[in-house]
Amino acid sequence: MAQESPRNVVQAKPKKVENGCLLCGRDFYPSKCNKHRLYHGHKSENKAEYTVVLEDLVGKLQDTTLAVCGICRTLLLRYDRVSKDAERIKWLIKDTWNKMREKRCAESTPSLEVKRRRELMDTAAYDEDSNIASIPLTLTLHSTDTASAAKEKLKTALKPLQVRLRIFQEFQKTSLQTAEHIKFQAQYTEKWIKDEFVKLRQSLCNEEAARKKALKEEEEQKSQMLRKKIEKMSRELSSLSATITAIEEEMNAEDALFLQNYEATMKRVSQCRLPDPEKISGVLINVPKHLSNLKFTVLQKMQKSVEYTPVTFDPNTAHCNLILSDDLTSVTYSDEEQTLPDNPERFDMFACVLGSEGFDSGSHCWDVEVGDSTGWFLGVMSESAQRRDKIFSRSGIWLVGHFCGEYKAHVPPQSPTLLPVKEKLQRIRVHLDWDSGKLSFSDPLTDTHIYSFTHTFTERLFPFFGLGCNISPLLILPVNFAVKKDSL
């Protein structure tokens, strides 16, 4: 047999290796764009506009050889804008695939009536060949079709209950996470309170020690002064006693000797004239100085060193990308999202946070240090304004901020107004006069007016803050408590 030429041998092409999609389970040929990463080149420089949870989700799904089909990748990008919970995204993708599969089956499978007719025709042909009566068999097929139709109806009716079950399961999971967060908040707050009171007690101990020291110094000073007086008086007393003893001895001498020394003795008596003891005034402890209104004076002294912050942040409203300081006066933007309860008060789309106290009357003012931040806004938000989804498409917000290199004033849903600010702003003063319906912004460093809103306010307003970059935090500046007291 002639040996087959190598040229005539058809070389088989290398077979592509199929991968199973981690989300839907379908086999597919992975491309370079979904190997090791979910997608390439889709992230913008502004990370606040695009998701960062996808890579976290991918990390939970697989380690280094990621295989996600193109449809699931598209669904991931779509659903990640709706929910930041990885388990919910996976469930949404699986639910979408089930619906797509059911739709394909419905399009490719004939209707139930057509299917029943075909089965009847096949049964009739079989009956002619076998001479078997078709009536019982037809009744049996009719009964089977009826059961199938009933099952389909029941399956359709069961779907809303299954969806309802998933909703309740997800709510239960969220509630358990919220309970854990409440426990963490309580423990953290208790620790902070304890630390603050330790500082207060230390401050009181220092004040107590200072007052005891002042009392001891006064005691030593006045005791030393009195001791010097007593020593001087003792010397004078000893001298006087010695003179009297000597004169008495002269008087007891013989008459001749006494008369001989009489003139010298009289001269000595006349020279020994000591002044009366001087009464010492102010030698006692000044007790009122140490005890009068002791509590009030201590508190008044502490107030001079205590800083008062007119506005503090409410952590229950902070977006997951915002990190608040322990004293709730500073907020920093972070690219990594925190795991926080999805409570209704919390902002879910934009990196915003509200003040802890709302105002429905009076005049209020607070200064905010924005530093070198390139993306921020400050203002007020009404209590009834929605905090979920696209908040800037609804009313109830008045703000001034720095967007895309420009200073703008914005009252949603209207378009922003460009502000003629020439120098860079690093500190903003927000002044709300609720009764007069005026909200004004100024630069306290240069005492320059920036912009003012006029509106008839009818409900409580909360200080409103937003931060979109991690260059500098937003810091609410404190004021001296004495200054605050005088302003009141």
Side-chain angles (χ1 to χ4, degrees):
M1 181 181 292
Q3 187 174 3
E4 187 176 0
S5 175
R7 294 182 179 180
N8 298 330
V9 177
V10 179
Q11 295 181 356
K13 294 183 180 180
K15 187 177 180 180
K16 294 183 179 180
V17 179
E18 293 184 354
N19 280 10
C21 179
L22 295 174
L23 297 177
C24 64
R26 295 172 65 252
D27 293 334
F28 76 105
Y29 298 108
S31 60
K32 294 181 179 180
C33 66
N34 56 12
K35 266 291 186 182
H36 305 292
R37 288 193 61 182
L38 185 62
Y39 56 94
H40 291 275
H42 288 81
K43 281 193 174 182
S44 171
E45 293 181 357
N46 187 358
K47 296 182 180 179
E49 297 179 0
Y50 286 84
T51 177
V52 294
V53 78
L54 291 180
E55 292 185 352
D56 295 339
L57 175 61
V58 168
K60 295 177 182 178
L61 295 179
Q62 190 166 331
D63 47 9
T64 57
T65 58
L66 172 65
V68 178
C69 66
I71 298 177
C72 287
R73 184 170 69 253
T74 303
L75 293 175
L76 273 173
L77 293 172
R78 179 193 306 169
Y79 288 128
D80 183 64
R81 300 181 183 277
V82 179
S83 174
K84 298 299 182 184
D85 184 73
E87 296 298 328
R88 176 169 175 79
I89 294 175
K90 291 165 62 178
W91 176 81
L92 287 171
I93 292 175
K94 291 181 180 179
D95 186 66
T96 302
W97 271 109
N98 291 334
K99 292 180 180 178
M100 293 172 62
R101 194 176 293 110
E102 290 175 1
K103 185 178 180 181
R104 293 196 198 99
C105 292
E107 293 175 352
S108 60
T109 304
S111 62
L112 184 63
E113 184 65 24
V114 174
K115 183 178 180 181
R116 191 172 67 84
R117 289 178 182 178
R118 289 179 179 177
E119 291 177 353
L120 288 175
M121 292 175 65
D122 294 340
T123 304
Y126 174 77
D127 290 344
E128 289 179 358
D129 293 338
S130 58
N131 297 322
I132 298 177
S134 62
I135 295 177
L137 183 58
T138 304
L139 292 175
T140 304
L141 289 174
H142 180 71
S143 176
T144 304
D145 293 342
T146 304
S148 300
K151 289 182 179 180
E152 289 294 330
K153 290 182 179 180
L154 187 59
K155 184 178 180 181
T156 304
L158 188 61
K159 285 183 179 180
L161 297 180
Q162 292 174 341
V163 173
R164 197 72 176 173
L165 176 62
R166 295 190 193 102
I167 293 175
F168 275 99
Q169 289 175 344
E170 184 177 353
F171 180 78
Q172 183 183 28
K173 179 181 178 182
T174 304
S175 299
L176 292 174
Q177 292 176 350
T178 304
E180 290 296 325
H181 188 72
I182 291 173
K183 184 177 180 181
F184 167 76
Q185 280 185 314
Q187 294 175 350
Y188 175 80
T189 306
E190 181 181 359
K191 180 181 180 301
W192 181 256
I193 292 174
K194 182 179 178 180
D195 293 341
E196 288 299 305
F197 273 92
V198 167
K199 295 178 183 178
L200 288 174
R201 282 192 288 268
Q202 185 61 44
S203 178
L204 289 174
C205 289
N206 295 339
E207 182 65 21
E208 178 186 6
R211 289 182 172 271
K212 288 182 177 179
K213 182 180 179 181
L215 176 61
K216 189 67 176 178
E217 289 177 353
E218 183 179 358
E219 178 190 6
E220 292 179 356
Q221 178 184 1
K222 294 189 174 181
S223 297
Q224 185 177 3
M225 181 177 64
L226 184 61
R227 189 163 48 249
K228 290 180 179 180
K229 293 284 186 181
I230 293 174
E231 291 176 355
K232 180 181 179 182
M233 188 178 299
S234 298
R235 290 193 298 268
E236 293 177 349
L237 183 61
S238 299
S239 175
L240 180 59
S241 178
T243 302
I244 293 173
T245 302
I247 293 173
E248 288 178 347
E249 290 178 355
E250 290 290 338
M251 291 175 62
N252 293 329
E254 296 179 357
D255 294 342
L257 184 60
F258 171 74
L259 293 174
Q260 182 180 356
N261 298 326
Y262 173 73
E263 292 183 2
T265 302
M266 286 299 295
K267 185 177 181 180
R268 186 176 182 182
V269 171
S270 61
Q271 290 178 352
C272 187
R273 293 183 179 179
L274 298 177
D276 294 335
E278 181 182 357
K279 294 183 178 181
I280 306 173
S281 61
V283 73
L284 299 179
I285 298 294
N286 188 359
V287 177
K289 173 185 175 182
H290 301 281
L291 296 182
S292 292
N293 296 317
L294 178 59
K295 296 179 182 178
F296 177 78
T297 53
V298 172
L299 180 60
Q300 192 177 38
K301 184 176 180 180
M302 291 179 64
Q303 287 177 355
K304 295 180 180 179
S305 60
V306 172
E307 293 180 334
Y308 171 80
T309 306
V311 172
T312 56
F313 297 116
D314 183 1
N316 295 334
T317 66
H319 187 267
C320 297
N321 286 103
L322 297 181
I323 300 176
L324 305 182
S325 61
D326 292 336
D327 59 356
L328 305 178
T329 61
S330 176
V331 57
T332 306
Y333 181 84
S334 174
D335 292 333
E336 297 182 3
E337 291 187 350
Q338 305 174 86
T339 303
L340 299 174
D342 191 20
N343 51 301
E345 300 86 2
R346 192 180 305 280
F347 293 96
D348 63 339
M349 183 172 289
F350 295 96
C352 307
V353 62
L354 293 181
S356 58
E357 182 182 0
F359 309 115
D360 55 5
S361 63
S363 179
H364 309 273
C365 181
W366 57 94
D367 291 354
V368 182
E369 186 82 32
V370 298
D372 296 326
S373 176
T374 57
W376 55 266
F377 52 80
L378 310 171
V380 294
M381 184 178 191
S382 60
E383 186 174 18
S384 62
Q386 295 296 319
R387 305 171 192 176
R388 315 292 288 182
D389 301 328
K390 299 179 180 180
I391 60 175
F392 296 112
S393 62
R394 300 184 290 264
S395 60
I397 299 175
W398 298 262
L399 61 89
V400 163
H402 188 260
F403 316 96
C404 302
E406 296 177 333
Y407 294 96
K408 299 179 182 179
H410 193 194
V411 183
Q414 303 175 11
S415 300
T417 302
L418 186 64
L419 300 179
V421 178
K422 298 180 180 179
E423 297 183 359
K424 185 176 181 180
L425 299 175
Q426 291 194 332
R427 185 175 298 181
I428 309 295
R429 174 166 294 168
V430 185
H431 183 237
L432 171 64
D433 192 342
W434 196 96
D435 298 328
S436 301
K438 185 176 181 180
L439 175 66
S440 60
F441 299 83
S442 61
D443 184 356
L445 298 177
T446 60
D447 196 19
T448 304
H449 178 261
I450 300 174
Y451 194 80
S452 294
F453 297 100
T454 55
H455 182 80
T456 302
F457 302 118
T458 58
E459 58 179 309
R460 182 178 297 178
L461 301 177
F462 286 85
F464 183 53
F465 308 86
L467 184 61
C469 74
N470 55 8
I471 297 177
S472 298
L474 292 184
L475 176 63
I476 303 176
L477 300 178
V479 296
N480 190 276
F481 189 84
V483 176
K484 172 66 178 176
K485 184 178 178 181
D486 294 340
S487 63
L488 296 176

